[in-house]
Amino acid sequence: MSEPDLTGLRDRAERGDGDAVDELIELATERGDLNELRRLAQSGNPTATDELIQLAAEQGNLEELRRLSDAGNATATDQLIELATEQDNMDELRRLANQGNTTAAEQLMELTAE
């Protein structure tokens, strides 16, 4: 899609065209465009948020997952714990456990027991 077409699609989405929003989400997901998904998610679109979480997890983007988790998104927290566990990231698991996340604490105990 050309930049002018993308701009037109964004304009339609901003005017409330749900089909345009859906198309933007799909395009952003296909392109791996975290910025576009973040922009759509910040406007309150739950589908964009879900796609953002999934894409961030696929890309191994701890920072994005952490940002969403710290904002209170439980799905992002789950993905963050999963990714941190896969990467043996004790610091991230410890940070989450210190915030009271029992799943992170359990994963941390399992990794330290190995």
Side-chain angles (χ1 to χ4, degrees), residues 29-103:
T29 301
E30 289 172 4
R31 295 182 321 177
D33 188 344
L34 290 174
N35 290 328
E36 185 79 34
L37 288 171
R38 189 179 306 116
R39 186 182 68 75
L40 293 163
Q42 287 172 340
S43 71
N45 187 295
T47 303
T49 302
D50 292 344
E51 292 295 334
L52 178 60
I53 292 167
Q54 183 175 338
L55 187 59
E58 288 172 6
Q59 293 180 351
N61 190 326
L62 284 172
E63 286 182 36
E64 187 66 29
L65 291 172
R66 186 180 306 120
R67 184 186 71 77
L68 293 163
S69 173
D70 289 350
N73 187 298
T75 304
T77 302
D78 292 342
Q79 288 296 314
L80 180 59
I81 292 168
E82 185 176 320
L83 187 59
T85 300
E86 289 171 8
Q87 296 178 352
D88 291 332
N89 187 329
M90 305 290 202
D91 291 337
E92 188 63 37
L93 291 171
R94 192 171 295 110
R95 184 184 79 83
L96 292 166
N98 288 340
Q99 292 175 355
N101 187 295
T102 56
T103 304

